[in-house]
Amino acid sequence: MADVREKSPRLTVVGIGADGWSGLSAKACEAVLHAHVVLGAPRQLAYLPSDVRTRAWPSPLLPALDEVLAEYEGHQVCVLASGDPLLSGIATTLRDRGYEIDVLPALSSETLARARLGWSFEETEVVTVVGRAVDRVARALAPNRKILVLGGSVTDLRALLTERGYGKSTLTTLENLAAENERIADGWAHEPGPLTVFALVCDGPRLPLIGLPDSAYEHDGQLTKRDLRVTALSRLAPSPGELLWDVGAGAGSIGIEWSRVHPRNRAVAIERDPSRAERVTRNANTLGVPELRVVTGAVPEVLAGLPRPDAVFIGGGLTVPGALEACLATGARVVAHGVTLEAEQVLAAAYARHGGELHRISVEQAKPLGGFTGWTPSRTVTQWSRE
Ligand SMILES: C[S@@+](CC[C@H](N)C(=O)[O-])C[C@H]1O[C@@H](n2cnc3c(N)ncnc32)[C@H](O)[C@@H]1O
């Protein structure tokens, strides 16, 4: 098949490691030497021969990015990135902004760190907290798990591990990888410089990704309980990268577990009560999904400006006129729970009109009864779902 690109891309993104110019491939050197200008961070530009025409990115970079590149319209431009430009790097940003790019990667800090530790790709979880909250790491914590953390500070990481009962984990700092001053040290004792990858061998309590015990959540009783939560999630059927609206989020458990299933999953929790909305944020941070977006407001009005979901869970607000209709109009998969007669009527009408599945779910748990053990029922829930 012929190459659809008729001419070479205007932007070549060259990955450069801490070993600088000497570590670049012949092709990467050629791209740098033939560029009209090379853009990069001052630290990276300092690696280049002095006769190369360079320009340092302004700081902050993102607001100025398009303007700077527009100045070189029609010229061959080279952009420097550290390691693999598509690993938490500028190549991803450029691609997402619609630039046509050619990427010449160097060894990533992740690859170098695994090489030093003897960890295979398959057994290593990589969590990037570059420009994000360190709480993201909490989602990945599991006994014996090997994790590499990109970005963040050793102080934040130590605090997170200690708070989550993972203070006995091995924490290693891998600093200035591939440079002459490379250093690998105990992260509990050593304060590393800025070019550092963190490695964890986890030692702490296990927490499932979904079906968390109710006690894992801070709540005021407004919580979709574990067994109901899992049946709802099975019908919401998250797939990597999908977006959920958790309408009437309560403690936030459905959106949180949706997000925990895969790091690219996204969720918006919609909650009318401001103190509950704050609680959702706290639960999301504690349970390792700080990117969960919380919107405080009432349905259906608040739904209007939100990005289109792939699935919607309605745990509250079902009897508000127009709420269910607004959710259905998105075309998303919908799962709705009701416990009152009024909500049940809304769900029965939806079933009659749209089909789908209607369930009544009762859960009874064995609990002490006098000197014996008896079944203790929780409130029966009516669940309607439409795929
Ligand atoms: C924005 S990410 C970019 C990763 C980069 N694209 C790569 O492939 O290595 C930056 C993370 O990598 C770390 N890092 C980059 N180069 C490094 C090196 N030579 N040694 C240790 N850590 C490095 C940074 O400290 C940070 O945690």
Side-chain angles (χ1 to χ4, degrees):
M1 199 177 80
D3 191 344
V4 288
R5 294 175 302 188
E6 291 194 341
K7 50 185 181 165
S8 64
R10 199 171 63 82
L11 288 182
T12 305
V13 189
V14 170
I16 190 162
D19 49 355
W21 182 250
S22 65
L24 289 187
S25 67
K27 200 169 176 194
C29 290
E30 195 186 309
V32 168
L33 295 173
H34 288 133
H36 175 73
V37 67
V38 181
L39 301 164
R43 181 182 65 80
Q44 293 159 344
L45 296 175
Y47 292 133
L48 305 186
S50 56
D51 54 343
V52 174
R53 187 171 165 211
T54 62
R55 175 165 171 185
W57 289 119
S59 176
L61 164 61
L62 291 183
L65 184 67
D66 296 321
E67 217 173 292
V68 171
L69 288 172
E71 284 182 40
Y72 301 104
E73 191 68 53
H75 293 285
Q76 189 65 40
V77 174
C78 185
V79 173
L80 291 188
S82 79
D84 176 352
L86 285 166
L87 176 68
S88 294
I90 191 156
T92 317
T93 311
L94 292 168
R95 182 206 63 188
D96 289 349
R97 290 188 176 212
Y99 291 99
E100 196 183 334
I101 55 171
D102 196 6
V103 181
L104 300 175
L107 289 178
S108 69
S109 49
E110 178 253 349
T111 298
L112 287 167
R114 284 191 301 95
R116 300 298 185 263
L117 297 161
W119 292 4
S120 72
F121 174 83
E122 289 80 4
E123 70 193 343
T124 307
E125 177 82 12
V126 178
V127 180
T128 174
V129 295
V130 176
R132 295 164 178 183
V134 73
D135 300 284
R136 268 190 128 227
V137 176
R139 181 193 158 274
L141 295 176
N144 299 318
R145 200 161 199 193
K146 292 174 174 161
I147 305 176
L148 289 181
V149 180
L150 303 185
S153 77
V154 76
T155 316
D156 290 347
L157 201 51
R158 283 181 199 146
L160 177 113
L161 293 171
T162 311
E163 275 166 24
R164 313 300 159 105
Y166 274 79
K168 284 195 288 177
S169 304
T170 307
L171 169 60
T172 306
T173 53
L174 298 109
E175 195 177 353
N176 303 321
L177 288 163
E180 277 175 9
N181 58 347
E182 175 173 319
R183 178 170 179 188
I184 297 173
D186 174 6
W188 292 105
H190 172 64
E191 302 299 325
L195 267 197
T196 300
V197 170
F198 306 101
L200 297 172
V201 182
C202 298
D203 184 354
R206 66 179 303 281
L207 199 60
L209 283 178
I210 63 164
L212 303 189
D214 296 341
S215 59
Y217 293 94
E218 181 193 334
H219 66 91
D220 59 0
Q222 291 294 314
L223 172 76
T224 305
K225 307 291 186 304
R226 185 186 208 167
D227 299 282
L228 268 306
R229 205 184 310 134
V230 173
T231 93
L233 283 163
S234 74
R235 292 191 166 77
L236 289 167
S239 223
E242 286 192 325
L243 173 70
L244 172 82
W245 288 356
D246 183 1
V247 176
S253 66
I254 298 281
I256 288 171
E257 296 194 13
W258 167 282
S259 304
R260 282 173 62 86
V261 171
H262 194 275
R264 283 198 300 115
N265 284 3
R266 295 167 302 134
V268 184
I270 296 121
E271 174 53 57
R272 183 185 53 186
D273 180 303
S275 66
R276 285 198 187 123
E278 283 173 21
R279 191 178 287 120
V280 173
T281 302
R282 287 197 294 278
N283 280 326
N285 290 341
T286 307
L287 295 167
V289 290
E291 278 129 295
L292 181 126
R293 179 175 163 199
V294 182
V295 173
T296 311
V299 288
E301 297 76 16
V302 78
L303 301 176
L306 299 180
R308 222 176 122 98
D310 298 291
V312 181
F313 178 72
I314 311 174
L318 202 48
T319 55
V320 176
L324 179 61
E325 289 72 13
C327 295
L328 288 171
T330 63
R333 306 185 290 278
V334 173
V335 176
H337 282 186
V339 288
T340 63
L341 283 178
E342 290 77 5
E344 193 173 282
Q345 281 168 13
V346 173
L347 296 179
Y351 178 59
R353 187 151 175 224
H354 304 286
E357 288 181 50
L358 192 62
H359 288 98
R360 249 158 75 93
I361 308 173
S362 313
V363 178
E364 297 180 25
Q365 193 180 4
K367 288 197 177 161
L369 187 65
F372 297 93
T373 310
W375 293 114
T376 308
S378 47
R379 229 181 257 286
T380 298
V381 171
T382 304
Q383 180 192 70
W384 177 65
S385 53
R386 183 199 72 174
E387 282 179 28

